[in-house]
């Protein structure tokens, strides 16, 4: 991912932010009154407003410094979504069997981390590109794999690589557990703050948008 800084947005500010996943659905109403619906995006895209997490002048100054170093919208960065940042439930700890990321064929050694949403009707598989370093666990048919002897994970891309001679056998389920960040960028090139209004309780608008590869 080009133009990206491997640094996380200040957690204290992110904890108070608002936002979540966004979809783009085209709906056409026919002459008969029936609807035709089409999803314009293959993947969802998350949007946040970091302004809701800015509670003090110190936090605002920290955010402005972070914004300046990113050069506004120019460089992306990591964002911790407190609702959705693990391969498991928010209250649980990641385990190697949390998410299926592939099936072995005896030769393939590269797999992409992913997280599954839903299951009965139309499950959504979300690629995970920014796992947290030290959090990734890989399993093959329920057996946790040794790192880095048997397998490793690139924390800048989410790509899992099995070492030569350790490719999962044909039909073997490859699974993973992990914590992860969302790759995002600022969605503005100017931050405008009225300090008198801020001290009176007005919240600055600081939009953040997910970078979808």
């Amino acid at each position: 991912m080009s133009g990206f800084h491997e640094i996380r947005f200040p957690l204290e500010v992110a904890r108070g932010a608002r936002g979540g996943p966004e979809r783009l659905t085209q709906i056409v109403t026919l002459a008969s009154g029936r609807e035709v619906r089409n999803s314009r995006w293959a993947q969802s895209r998350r949007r946040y407003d970091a302004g809701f997490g800015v509670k003090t002048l110190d936090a605002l100054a920290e955010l402005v410094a972070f914004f300046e170093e990113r050069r506004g919208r120019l460089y992306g960065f990591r964002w911790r979504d407190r609702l959705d940042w693990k391969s498991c439930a928010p209250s649980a700890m990641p385990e190697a069997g949390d998410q299926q990321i592939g099936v072995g064929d005896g030769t393939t050694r590269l797999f992409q981390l992913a997280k599954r949403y839903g299951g009965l009707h139309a499950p959504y598989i979300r690629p995970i590109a920014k796992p947290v370093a030290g959090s990734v666990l890989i399993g093959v048919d329920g057996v946790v794999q040794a790192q880095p002897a048997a397998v490793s994970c690139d924390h800048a891309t989410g790509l899992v690589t099995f070492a030569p001679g350790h490719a999962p056998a044909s039909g073997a389920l490859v699974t993973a557990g992990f914590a992860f960040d969302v790759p995002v960028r600022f969605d503005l090139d100017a931050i405008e703050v009225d300090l008198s209004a801020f001290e009176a309780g007005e919240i600055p608008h600081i939009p953040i948008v997910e970078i979808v590869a």
Side-chain angles (χ1 to χ4, degrees), residues 3-79:
F4 193 89
H5 292 169
E6 293 291 341
I7 184 172
R8 186 179 294 124
F9 187 86
L11 281 176
E12 287 302 319
V13 178
R15 283 194 181 99
R18 291 185 182 179
E22 173 187 38
R23 290 279 181 175
L24 181 60
T25 305
Q26 182 182 49
I27 301 177
V28 177
T29 303
L30 305 179
S32 64
R34 293 182 177 178
E35 288 184 349
V36 175
R37 283 162 283 170
N38 181 50
S39 178
R40 300 293 298 275
W41 294 347
Q43 300 178 36
S44 60
R45 190 179 199 185
R46 280 150 179 78
R47 288 185 177 274
Y48 307 95
D49 190 338
F52 288 95
V54 180
K55 306 298 184 184
T56 66
L57 286 177
D58 286 349
L60 180 58
E62 182 181 14
L63 187 148
V64 169
F66 190 91
F67 173 86
E68 289 282 41
E69 190 174 10
R70 306 289 85 73
R71 308 298 195 272
R73 293 184 293 179
L74 184 59
Y75 293 104
F77 52 92
R78 288 172 174 259
W79 174 276

Side-chain angles (χ1 to χ4, degrees), residues 74-146:
L74 184 59
Y75 293 104
F77 52 92
R78 288 172 174 259
W79 174 276
R80 172 63 54 83
D81 184 334
R82 298 297 295 180
L83 175 63
D84 187 7
W85 63 286
K86 296 180 182 179
S87 56
C88 52
S91 60
M93 292 297 293
E95 296 182 355
D98 286 345
Q99 300 290 330
Q100 181 178 330
I101 62 173
V103 178
D105 59 10
T107 59
T108 299
R109 296 192 295 116
L110 301 179
F111 297 86
Q112 178 67 49
L113 288 182
K115 182 174 180 180
R116 179 188 178 103
Y117 297 80
L120 290 179
H121 303 287
Y124 169 55
I125 307 300
R126 176 188 179 188
I128 300 299
K130 297 297 178 183
V132 175
S135 73
V136 180
L137 301 170
I138 304 298
V140 176
D141 276 347
V143 179
V144 179
Q145 302 298 292

Side-chain angles (χ1 to χ4, degrees), residues 49 60 63-64 67-68 70-74 185-194 204-208:
D49 190 338
L60 180 58
L63 187 148
V64 169
F67 173 86
E68 289 282 41
R70 306 289 85 73
R71 308 298 195 272
R73 293 184 293 179
L74 184 59
R185 62 167 172 81
F186 287 103
D187 199 22
L188 79 174
D189 275 324
I191 293 180
E192 183 176 343
V193 179
D194 182 339
H205 178 54
I206 305 172
I208 306 287

Side-chain angles (χ1 to χ4, degrees), residues 130-190:
K130 297 297 178 183
V132 175
S135 73
V136 180
L137 301 170
I138 304 298
V140 176
D141 276 347
V143 179
V144 179
Q145 302 298 292
Q147 300 184 53
V151 66
S152 61
C153 180
D154 186 337
H155 300 105
T157 64
L159 191 64
V160 174
T161 304
F162 283 86
H166 291 273
S170 180
L173 294 182
V174 184
T175 58
F178 46 84
F180 65 95
D181 295 317
V182 184
V184 300
R185 62 167 172 81
F186 287 103
D187 199 22
L188 79 174
D189 275 324

